Amino acid sequence: MLWLIGWIFFGFLVGLIARGLMPGPQPMGCLGTILLGISGSFVGGVIGYLVQGGSLIQSSGWIGSVIGAVILLLLQMRREPSN
């Protein structure tokens, strides 16, 4: 159970960092921020796999997670129409 709380906390922090790095509004709440951070960790893991090998489905460290979350935010911002 403690690992789940750790993933939630890690996802929230990574999501906050990624949202802080991206200009403009990101309309999402706490749950969206947590999911962004956790998903960013796996996207960063895939990027790490493509760069240096290892297991395809893996999580990454702080830097890889933030990079993955920023990539996901960029994709989300491209998908949403601007007003």
Side-chain angles (χ1 to χ4, degrees):
M1 183 68 168
L2 193 59
W3 60 270
L4 180 63
I5 294 170
W7 269 100
I8 291 170
F9 183 70
F10 180 78
F12 185 69
L13 287 178
V14 168
L16 280 179
I17 292 169
R19 288 180 65 187
L21 292 174
M22 291 295 299
Q26 296 94 26
M28 63 178 69
C30 286
L31 182 61
T33 303
I34 291 167
L35 293 176
L36 172 69
I38 293 171
S39 301
S41 178
F42 286 103
V43 170
V46 170
I47 292 171
Y49 165 77
L50 293 173
V51 171
Q52 67 185 25
S55 174
L56 177 61
I57 299 177
Q58 62 184 1
S59 61
S60 59
W62 283 96
I63 294 172
S65 298
V66 171
I67 290 170
V70 167
I71 289 171
L72 290 175
L73 271 177
L74 282 171
L75 291 174
Q76 178 188 2
M77 289 173 66
R78 287 182 139 236
R79 210 179 75 204
E80 291 180 358
S82 60
N83 294 333

